[in-house]
Amino acid sequence: MFKRHWLAYAALWCSGLITMLICLGIVLFLVVKGAHAISWQFLFTDPLPSMNEALSGGILTPLIGTVLLTTLGIVCALPWAGATAIYLAEYAGENQFVNALRTGIDVLAGVPTIVFAIFGLAVFTLPQMAMFSTIVEGVDNAQAFGRSFLVAAITMAAMVLPFVIKSIEEAIRSVPPSYKEASYALGASKWNTISCVILPAARAGIITGVILGIGRIAGDTAIIWLCLGGSMNMGGQQPWWMPQHWVSTLRHTGSTLTSYVYFSSPAGEGNSPGKAFGAGLVLVVFILLLNAVVSYLGRFTAIKEDQ
Amino acid sequence: MKEHSDLTAALATATPTTANTVTSAWRLKQFKEKAIEYLLATFTVMSAILIFFIMYFVIRRAVPVFQANGIGFILRGGWDTQFMTSWQAPADQPSWIFGALPLVMGTIYTTVGALLIAVPLGLGCAIFLVELCPPWLRVPLTTTVRLLAAIPSVIYGLVGLIVVVPVIAHTLITNQMAMNMINIAALDGTSILASMIVLSIMIGPIFIALSSDALRAVPRSYKEAAFALGISQWRTILKVMLPVARKGIIAGAILATGRAIGEAIALSMVSGGVANLPDFQHGLVFFLEPVRTLASAIVNNSEGMIVSTCESALFACATLLLLSSVALSVMATWVSGMVRKGVRSHV
Amino acid sequence: MNMGGNASKIVVNDLSCWYGPQNVLQDVSMEIYAHAITGLIGPSGCGKTTFLRTLNRLNDLAPSFRHQGQVLLDGEEIYQPKKDVVMVRRRVGMVFQQPNPFPISIFDNIALGVREQQPGIKKKELLDIVVNSLQRVYLWEEVKGSMQTSAMSLSGGQQQRLCLARVLAVRPEIILLDEPCSSLDPVSTAKIEEMMLRYKNEYTFIVVTHNLGQARRVSDYLGFFLNGRLVEYGQTIDVVVNPRERETEDYLVGNFG
C-alpha cells in the first residue's frame, strides 16, 4: 500500500518537473536559435522580397506593425471594455438580465480567434465598410477589400474585449468599500465617486487589464492573417510614414511580428527559419516584458492590501 | 431618454429665480447621472450582444453551403478535391458540393489527443503545485506555467515545425510505412501526433491554472478532517480533494477543449496540409497521418475566399467552430455555476 | 503526580511552540489519563487549540510551526523524525470547532475513514460500524432513512454529531475535541456530552471548551491555560472548588475571559 503511494508521489513530482522542463526547453531553444539572427541591422531594416535568407532584410516594418496594431486595438477596446466593466461592477445588480449579459460576455471569451477573424472579414468586406479598407477594383459588385490595420485593430478589440472587461471589473470590485462610503458621506454623486475615487484606486488593476489585452493582440496570428493580409511591407501610399499618408497606411495592409514569423517559417513562403526565430524571440521578449510589468503591478497591489 | 432632454430644454429656458436655480442645478446633475448610467448600460449591452452579431454575420454567409449539402456537410469527405473544383469552376456554374468530414474528424482527433496528454499531466502538475511543491519551487513553477500561457501560438507552431515534426519524421516514420501509405497521404512528420504534442503544450497551462484554482478552493477543514481520521496525504488527495474539486477541474478541461478546437495557426503549421481522414485500421500509423482541422482549414484555404462558393464553405467551417465553442462555454459556465452554488450551500 | 488512579496515556514534557516568531505555548507539562475526560479551559488565544493540535501533529500543516519538548504517546515520542505521522493520527482522532463533514453522502462520510483504515472490509461489517457509530452519537434515528443524501443537508448540530461518529468509527484511542459545541444547539450539545460520558471507558477524550458549565459537567480533569502557559491542572472538582492559583479563580468567577 505504501509502495503505491511512493509511485504516486513520483508521478506528481515528474509532472511538475516535466512542465517546467518543457517551458525551459522552448525558451532556451528560442533564445539559442533566435539570438544570432538578432542584430541592429535585423531590427532596423525592412523585409526584402528574397528567397535567400541572407538577403531578406530585417523586421523593422513588422515591429512597427505590431506596435501600431496593439496601440490601435487597445485604444478601440479600452473605452468599450471600461464602460462595460464600470457598469457591471457598480451599476448592475444581481438579476436575470445582468446574468444573461455576463453569460454573453463569457461566451465571447471562448470564441476562437479564427472565428473573430472571419467575422471581421465578413463585416468589413461589406461595401458600406469601405472607409476602413479599400474598394477592390475591377469587381462588378463593389466589395471592400476588408483587410487593413483599421479592420484588424477593430477585430482585435472585439477579441480582447471580454478579457479586458473581466480584469477591469475585478480591479474595480477589489477597491475597498470604505473608499466609496467615504466619498458618498462627503456628498459626492455616484459618477463623481467612480471617476474621482474608484477608478484612481483601481488604477493598477486597470493597467494590468490593458497590458493583458496588449499581450493578446501582439500574440495573435489568425486575425492578422485574415484581416491584415499578407504583404510584408506597408501597403499604402509610400513613403508610408509621411503624415499625409497616415490615413492611407491605416487603410492598407501590412505585417506584424506574428505574421512575419508565420511567413518566414517553413509553413509560409519566405522559408527563412533563422529570421523567424529572431522575430519570434523579439515577440516573446516583448510579451514577457509585459507579463513582468503585470506581475510587478500585482505584487504592488498585494503589498498595498497587506498594509 | 426623450423625457429627460425635454426637461433640460425646459429648464434651460426657464427664468431663473433663486429657488429655481437650486432645483434646476440639482435636476441637471440628476440628469447627468442618469445619462451616464444609460451610456454605460448601452456599452454593456453592446458587449453582450456582440456574440449574436458574430453569429449572424458568420452563419449568414454559411447558409448557402448548408442548404446545398445539408447534414452531408459534416458526414461526407472529399474536401480537398471539392475545394479545387469549386475554385476552378466557371462563374456561371458554381459548384456547391462540400464535405467537411475529414476536417471535423481531424479537429476531434487532435483535440481528444491533446486532452489525453494535457489532462493527466496538467492535473498531476496542479496537484503537485497545490499539495507537494516545496516553497522554493513554487515561484519558479507558477512562473513557468504563466510563461507557457503567454507564448503566442505561432511560436508553438514554429517550434513544433522545426523540432517535433522532424523528430517524428526521422525516428518514427520508416520508409516502409511511407511506401504503404503513399496512395493515401505523404508521411512527412506533420501529423496527428505532432498536433497532439503541440496542442497539449498550448492548452496545458490553462488547464493547470484552472484546476489548481479548483484544488486551492477546497476548504482546508476537509483536509484537516481527513488527516484527523488517519488518512494519508495521498489518499486524502485522491478521496477528498479531487472529488470536492471535481466540478472545477471539469470546467477547466472544458475550457481547455474549447481552446484546442479553435487553435488555427499552430495546427496549420504542424498538422499537415491535406484534409486526410485517418483510419484506425492503419494501426499506430494512424497517429502519423496528416490531418487538417476546421480552424486550420480556414487559414490554409483562405486564398479561396474570393470565390463565393469556397468562401461560403469556409464560413460553414467557422460556423461549426463557433457553435461548438459557444456550447462548450455554456457548459463550462453551467458546471462552474453548480460549483458556486454548491460552495454557497456548504457555508 | 498521578491524581486519579488511571494510567497516563499522553505525557507532555516542557512543550513550547512557535508560529514563526510568535511563541504560543511555553513550557507546558501535563499528563493525560486514559479513559477519562480531560477538559481544557482558558480565554481565547491562550494556546488551548494549538496544544490540542500538537497532540496529533496537525500543526505540521502550518509551515511556520516549530516546537520544543516532548509529547509521549504511551511512552513513545510522536515527534520522532522517523515516526509515521499517519499512524499517530490513526490513534489520535479529532473533532473540530466548525462541523466539517465531507460534501458526500452521510454513509460515505463514515465509511470513508473505515475503508481507508481497513481496506477490503466486508460490506456487512462496514454497515454495522456505520450504524453503531451513528447510534453512539444519537444520530441514527434521525438519519436512518436518508443515508445516501448529502451530509450538507443536515443541520449544524447533526453535522457535528456526524463528524463525531466518523471519528468514533475508526476507533482511535484518543479523541481530541476542539470546542465541539461552540456553535451548536442545546439538544445536540447535551447529546454529545452524554456520548462522552457514556463511552469514556472505550476512548480517552480531551475537550477544549469555552463553556465552564460543560467543563464541570463532563470533565474528570481540568487544565487552565493562560497566555500560552498551563496555569493549573488537576481533578475537576479541585480546580473548580478550590483553585490554587489566583488567575484560575479570577477566570472561574468571570473577572476575565
Side-chain angles (χ1 to χ4, degrees):
Chain A
M1 177 174 149
F2 284 99
K3 196 163 179 194
R4 227 170 59 208
H5 291 194
W6 178 83
L7 268 174
Y9 286 124
L12 292 178
W13 268 90
C14 281
S15 48
L17 295 181
I18 287 174
T19 310
M20 277 184 76
L21 285 181
I22 290 174
C23 182
L24 288 181
I26 291 175
V27 171
L28 276 182
F29 187 76
L30 205 59
V31 169
V32 169
K33 283 275 201 174
H36 51 96
I38 293 180
S39 62
W40 290 116
Q41 203 201 347
F42 178 66
L43 290 176
F44 291 109
T45 47
D46 290 339
L48 298 168
S50 167
M51 287 305 284
N52 183 342
E53 187 159 359
L55 298 176
S56 58
I59 55 166
L60 182 62
T61 23
L63 201 58
I64 294 170
T66 293
V67 173
L68 183 61
L69 192 72
T70 47
T71 316
L72 278 177
I74 208 71
V75 164
C76 296
L78 188 60
W80 190 355
T84 306
I86 293 172
Y87 186 80
L88 287 176
E90 290 293 324
Y91 290 91
E94 279 268 329
N95 56 45
Q96 285 298 311
F97 178 65
V98 174
N99 275 347
L101 293 180
R102 282 183 193 281
T103 311
I105 294 168
D106 280 349
V107 168
L108 205 58
V111 173
T113 61
I114 188 73
V115 175
F116 275 103
I118 208 166
F119 160 72
L121 210 54
V123 171
F124 289 101
T125 46
L126 295 175
Q128 300 90 316
M129 295 290 180
M131 59 189 205
F132 292 104
S133 54
T134 41
I135 292 285
V136 183
E137 313 233 335
V139 179
D140 298 342
N141 52 338
Q143 209 188 15
F145 183 52
R147 292 177 177 83
S148 73
F149 274 105
L150 284 174
V151 169
I154 295 170
T155 314
M156 287 285 189
M159 188 268 288
V160 297
L161 189 65
F163 304 99
V164 182
I165 289 175
K166 197 150 267 186
S167 55
I168 295 183
E169 192 191 340
E170 235 158 66
I172 293 176
R173 279 183 189 279
S174 65
V175 173
S178 58
Y179 287 25
K180 210 180 352 177
E181 285 154 14
S183 170
Y184 285 144
L186 292 172
S189 69
K190 187 159 190 169
W191 175 246
N192 280 343
T193 304
I194 291 171
S195 59
C196 301
V197 177
I198 294 177
L199 292 185
R203 197 179 50 232
I206 294 172
I207 297 173
T208 303
V210 168
I211 292 175
L212 285 177
I214 291 178
R216 275 187 176 268
I217 296 178
D220 192 83
T221 318
I223 293 176
I224 304 282
W225 178 264
L226 289 188
C227 298
L228 185 58
S231 62
M232 273 288 101
N233 287 306
M234 300 288 185
Q237 290 166 350
Q238 302 297 336
W240 60 267
W241 40 265
M242 297 285 278
Q244 64 267 35
H245 297 154
W246 281 358
V247 174
S248 144
T249 304
L250 292 182
R251 289 178 62 201
H252 281 83
T253 60
S255 63
T256 66
L257 286 174
T258 50
S259 67
Y260 183 87
V261 172
Y262 190 77
F263 266 113
S264 311
S265 79
E269 291 144 10
N271 207 6
S272 46
K275 301 224 156 150
F277 276 107
L281 183 58
V282 172
L283 179 63
V284 168
V285 167
F286 176 66
I287 288 175
L288 290 191
L289 284 179
L290 292 178
N291 272 271
V293 175
V294 168
S295 59
Y296 172 76
L297 286 174
R299 192 171 306 155
F300 183 66
T301 24
I303 293 167
K304 227 170 48 182
E305 276 158 20
D306 276 350
Q307 280 166 354
Chain B
M1 284 299 273
K2 184 103 187 355
E3 235 174 61
H4 282 292
S5 53
D6 287 347
L7 188 66
T8 13
L11 283 168
T13 51
T15 356
T17 66
T18 333
N20 257 354
T21 331
V22 173
T23 341
S24 63
W26 183 80
R27 289 238 171 107
L28 201 66
K29 204 168 144 193
Q30 283 301 97
F31 169 73
K32 189 184 133 201
E33 289 285 317
K34 269 287 162 218
I36 287 170
E37 182 173 347
Y38 283 129
L39 187 69
L40 296 178
T42 313
F43 272 110
T44 310
V45 171
M46 271 164 57
S47 313
I49 61 172
L50 183 58
I51 183 72
F52 295 107
F53 225 67
I54 295 177
M55 282 183 178
Y56 171 74
F57 272 96
V58 172
I59 295 174
R60 198 180 60 143
R61 297 217 180 176
V63 165
V65 159
F66 282 124
Q67 272 174 345
N69 297 280
I71 193 76
F73 182 70
I74 53 171
L75 296 181
R76 265 201 319 262
W79 174 269
D80 281 336
T81 18
Q82 291 152 355
F83 204 85
M84 268 328 267
T85 316
S86 302
W87 165 256
Q88 287 160 346
D92 51 342
Q93 299 166 324
S95 158
W96 286 101
I97 313 261
F98 289 97
L101 180 68
L103 306 183
V104 173
M105 293 317 283
T107 307
I108 293 175
Y109 291 148
T110 50
T111 303
V112 171
L115 286 173
L116 285 181
I117 301 176
V119 166
L121 198 66
L123 194 56
C125 189
I127 296 173
F128 177 74
L129 193 60
V130 175
E131 285 293 309
L132 298 181
C133 190
W136 57 269
L137 195 60
R138 187 157 294 155
V139 173
L141 187 56
T142 41
T143 311
T144 33
V145 171
R146 227 183 269 159
L147 225 156
L148 277 175
I151 293 177
S153 58
V154 68
I155 305 285
Y156 284 113
L158 181 63
V159 174
L161 196 53
I162 302 287
V163 182
V164 181
V165 168
V167 166
I168 290 175
H170 292 136
T171 59
L172 296 178
I173 297 173
T174 59
N175 283 339
Q176 185 59 45
M177 245 183 232
M179 288 304 290
N180 290 345
M181 296 291 294
I182 200 139
N183 290 325
I184 301 165
L187 300 187
D188 58 357
T190 53
S191 55
I192 293 185
L193 183 62
S195 316
M196 278 165 64
I197 294 170
V198 169
L199 260 189
S200 64
I201 299 174
M202 295 181 65
I203 64 174
I206 307 168
F207 181 66
I208 292 172
L210 292 168
S211 52
S212 61
D213 279 352
L215 284 171
R216 243 181 245 119
V218 175
R220 210 176 67 144
S221 65
Y222 291 164
K223 199 166 130 188
E224 290 185 344
F227 280 1
L229 289 171
I231 302 175
S232 68
Q233 189 184 18
W234 168 242
R235 300 294 293 179
T236 303
I237 292 169
L238 207 62
K239 288 283 170 179
V240 178
M241 311 262 306
L242 287 180
V244 173
R246 191 185 62 233
K247 282 170 189 160
I249 294 170
I250 293 174
I254 293 174
L255 291 176
T257 310
R259 177 87 201 269
I261 286 180
E263 179 48 45
I265 292 294
L267 282 191
S268 81
M269 295 165 88
V270 300
S271 70
V274 285
N276 167 45
L277 182 60
D279 195 332
F280 283 115
Q281 285 173 348
H282 300 151
L284 285 177
V285 179
F286 171 83
F287 290 102
L288 304 176
E289 290 182 47
V291 287
R292 178 177 280 179
T293 67
L294 287 166
S296 63
I298 300 175
V299 172
N300 285 353
N301 293 137
S302 64
E303 73 276 14
M305 287 276 198
I306 48 172
V307 180
S308 62
T309 47
C310 296
E311 185 195 31
S312 180
L314 293 181
F315 271 96
C317 292
T319 303
L320 295 181
L321 279 178
L322 179 58
L323 294 181
S324 50
S325 75
V326 169
L328 287 170
S329 291
V330 170
M331 244 162 81
T333 330
W334 181 63
V335 171
S336 54
M338 288 199 317
V339 177
R340 234 176 289 134
K341 245 177 246 159
V343 168
R344 213 176 291 144
S345 73
H346 290 190
V347 175
Chain C
M1 55 161 203
N2 194 329
M3 294 179 291
N6 285 354
S8 55
K9 186 74 186 165
I10 296 181
V11 177
V12 179
N13 286 328
D14 294 326
L15 180 72
S16 300
C17 300
W18 292 265
Y19 285 117
Q22 195 192 353
N23 186 332
V24 282
L25 280 182
Q26 295 158 40
D27 300 325
V28 173
S29 297
M30 79 189 294
E31 276 179 64
I32 308 283
Y33 301 100
H35 306 307
I37 301 174
T38 304
L40 303 177
I41 55 170
S44 7
C46 67
K48 299 170 303 221
T49 299
T50 306
F51 177 73
L52 207 61
R53 291 163 71 100
T54 48
L55 300 183
N56 68 345
R57 293 191 57 175
L58 215 53
N59 278 329
D60 293 13
L61 288 180
S64 63
F65 176 77
R66 220 153 38 84
H67 86 289
Q68 242 171 36
Q70 285 182 306
V71 181
L72 305 173
L73 173 59
D74 284 338
E76 265 188 69
E77 169 65 56
I78 65 167
Y79 278 95
Q80 284 173 43
K82 289 206 165 170
K83 192 84 183 169
D84 182 0
V85 59
V86 173
M87 293 320 286
V88 171
R89 290 179 187 145
R90 287 190 178 185
R91 297 176 63 188
V92 188
M94 184 161 180
V95 176
F96 299 83
Q97 184 172 5
Q98 292 296 327
N100 55 356
F102 302 122
I104 51 181
S105 76
I106 295 172
F107 179 85
D108 285 338
N109 255 284
I110 300 175
L112 179 67
V114 180
R115 282 205 196 100
E116 286 299 312
Q117 298 210 5
Q118 306 172 44
I121 186 174
K122 292 209 176 60
K123 186 114 196 179
K124 176 81 177 60
E125 281 174 65
L126 181 64
L127 199 64
D128 282 347
I129 293 178
V130 171
V131 172
N132 182 260
S133 317
L134 285 170
Q135 280 167 343
R136 288 184 170 203
V137 296
Y138 309 100
L139 193 57
W140 172 244
E141 292 299 323
E142 294 163 49
V143 301
K144 64 180 175 188
S146 53
M147 293 292 278
Q148 292 308 326
T149 55
S150 168
M152 291 301 162
S153 60
L154 297 175
S155 75
Q158 289 174 322
Q159 288 189 4
Q160 189 65 307
R161 281 184 280 149
L162 179 65
C163 293
L164 200 50
R166 94 186 154 187
V167 174
L168 293 179
V170 296
R171 305 203 149 271
E173 296 159 36
I174 301 163
I175 297 179
L176 312 172
L177 299 105
D178 184 6
E179 300 189 28
C181 305
S182 64
S183 58
L184 300 193
D185 55 291
V187 178
S188 288
T189 305
K191 283 178 174 168
I192 289 176
E193 288 179 6
E194 203 179 325
M195 186 285 302
M196 283 196 276
L197 289 168
R198 192 156 159 193
Y199 294 103
K200 71 177 177 185
N201 50 356
E202 285 182 40
Y203 307 92
T204 300
F205 291 106
I206 306 175
V207 50
V208 164
T209 177
H210 248 111
N211 178 341
L212 281 176
Q214 183 175 54
R216 267 190 223 121
R217 282 194 299 275
V218 299
S219 68
D220 302 303
Y221 301 94
L222 194 58
F224 172 60
F225 278 81
L226 184 64
N227 295 334
R229 291 178 184 282
L230 179 63
V231 174
E232 182 151 4
Y233 180 48
Q235 293 203 338
T236 303
I237 184 100
D238 294 340
V239 174
V240 170
V241 176
N242 195 12
R244 273 177 289 127
E245 306 288 336
R246 179 67 195 274
E247 287 133 325
T248 317
E249 199 178 333
D250 282 350
Y251 181 73
L252 290 174
V253 299
N255 282 356
F256 63 87

